[in-house]
């Protein structure tokens, strides 16, 4: 009986070693692509943002070892019980039914494991919500079944991003169902705030290489952020089942240098980021006119309402400004 148990233990050890070898060998053979899925790969997509690096560390260095240890421990217990306490090996069963030490252990150990995991989990969750000061804001609106992007800081109105047709994708050598007709362009090493909403049903804005996924809910604006460390093209998709063409809502983000981004903004008819309310108030006050304090009105109260209006001492009705600092609510285009 002892030799049989040792033989099964050796077999289990061999199976575990073989599985680990296959796991590491498969990971080594598949060279991961950056920004898109890798055929045959079994690992997470490589990250290009601090959030993604932290999420990969949490998964690979915290969760996977704990899950693997628990799985192997439970499997070993099952094998031991099957071999040691079957009817043939143990024809007369024991008559006890409780063990206080064992019951305390199997209650406290899972609690301690969860507390240990929560330390890293809460730290990562806090990082996702602790957005640094953003360089720019992107409003991403999900439609059935395409995306609309607006860059209010650069004064770029909403433009539509559809799936790139299959023949064009093959001609350009880009992945079909991931490449888009109008990619979102952002500068490298800049904090980008993304305001996500939906126009019809619930969608989800997700880019795996950035480590972000945010629901696009009609009537609600959710917020996320990223800071890409490398220039390149990164793909994502809608991650919420949103209808018959859910699989045809790609997200393509092109990360470029600052001069290239400025050139792209100019090609879209945009401009420099909008000035702050303080700058607008100072620019709106003509030379020699009384300041806001002399007029009896605080500057902060008048600047946001009509930055282009003259000082409050003027009696004439101010003309409507040629352009405002905020864009009207985007509407879904009639055709795309």
């Amino acid at each position: 009986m002892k030799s049989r148990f040792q033989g099964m233990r050796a077999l289990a050890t061999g199976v575990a070693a073989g599985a680990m070898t296959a796991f590491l060998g498969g990971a080594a053979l598949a060279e991961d692509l950056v920004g898109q899925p890798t055929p045959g790969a079994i690992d997470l997509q490589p990250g290009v943002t601090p959030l993604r690096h932290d999420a990969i560390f949490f998964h690979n260095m915290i969760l996977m070892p704990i899950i693997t240890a628990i799985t192997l421990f439970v499997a070993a217990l099952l094998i031991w019980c099957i071999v040691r306490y079957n009817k043939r090996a143990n024809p007369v069963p024991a008559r006890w039914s409780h063990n206080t030490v064992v019951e305390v252990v199997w209650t406290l150990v899972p609690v301690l494991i969860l507390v240990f995991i929560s330390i890293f989990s809460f730290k990562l969750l806090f990082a996702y919500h602790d957005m640094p000061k953003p360089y720019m804001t992107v409003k991403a609106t999900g439609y059935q079944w395409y995306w609309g992007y607006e860059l209010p800081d650069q004064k770029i109105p909403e433009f539509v991003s559809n799936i790139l047709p299959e023949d064009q994708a093959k001609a350009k050598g880009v992945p079909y169902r991931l490449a888009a007709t109008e990619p979102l362009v952002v500068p490298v090493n800049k904090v980008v705030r993304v305001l996500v909403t939906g126009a019809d049903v619930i969608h989800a804005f997700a880019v795996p290489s950035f480590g972000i996924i945010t629901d696009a809910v009609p009537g609600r604006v959710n917020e996320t952020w990223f800071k890409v460390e490398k220039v390149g093209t990164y793909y994502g998709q809608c991650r919420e089942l949103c209808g018959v063409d859910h699989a045809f809502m790609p997200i393509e983000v092109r990360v470029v240098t600052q001069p290239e981004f400025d050139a792209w903004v100019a090609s879209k008819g945009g401009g420099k980021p909008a000035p702050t309310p303080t700058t607008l108030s100072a620019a709106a006050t003509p030379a020699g006119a009384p300041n806001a304090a002399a007029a009896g009105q605080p500057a902060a109260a008048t600047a946001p309402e009509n930055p282009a209006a003259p000082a409050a001492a003027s009696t004439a009705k101010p003309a409507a400004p040629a352009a405002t600092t905020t864009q009207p609510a985007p509407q879904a285009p009639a055709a795309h």
Side-chain angles (χ1 to χ4, degrees), residues 201-294:
V201 299
I202 298 178
H203 304 275
F205 185 86
V207 183
S209 295
F210 298 172
I212 59 173
I213 174 171
T214 304
D215 284 344
V217 182
R220 176 172 178 170
V221 177
N222 291 325
E223 181 182 82
T224 187
W225 68 279
F226 61 83
K227 180 182 179 182
V228 186
E229 303 166 340
K230 295 172 58 178
V231 172
T233 302
Y234 306 95
Y235 299 100
Q237 286 179 311
C238 175
R239 290 292 186 87
E240 194 75 39
L241 188 60
C242 57
V244 64
D245 284 340
H246 162 67
F248 302 92
M249 282 187 65
I251 300 169
E252 181 179 350
V253 182
R254 191 170 299 168
V255 181
V256 298
T257 61
Q258 187 65 49
E260 292 174 329
F261 176 73
D262 294 337
W264 178 80
V265 170
S267 69
K268 287 290 186 180
K272 295 182 179 180
T276 62
T278 304
T279 306
L280 289 173
S281 177
T285 304
N291 56 24

Side-chain angles (χ1 to χ4, degrees), residues 51-127:
L51 292 178
R52 181 63 169 180
H53 296 324
D54 293 344
I56 290 177
F57 172 83
F58 179 61
H59 176 270
N60 291 349
M61 300 301 165
I62 304 299
L63 295 183
M64 284 300 295
I66 293 176
I67 294 173
T68 302
I70 292 175
T71 302
L72 294 178
F73 177 71
V74 173
L77 281 181
L78 288 175
I79 294 174
W80 182 55
C81 292
I82 292 172
V83 174
R84 176 65 181 82
Y85 298 106
N86 61 68
K87 183 177 180 180
R88 186 183 307 172
N90 192 42
V92 181
R95 294 295 180 181
W96 57 271
S97 60
H98 293 281
N99 188 304
T100 304
V101 175
V102 173
E103 293 174 359
V104 170
V105 169
W106 75 33
T107 301
L108 288 182
V109 170
V111 172
L112 295 177
I113 292 174
L114 291 178
V115 170
F116 176 76
I117 292 175
S118 70
I119 296 174
F120 298 91
S121 177
F122 289 145
K123 182 179 179 181
L124 179 61
L125 185 63
F126 180 81

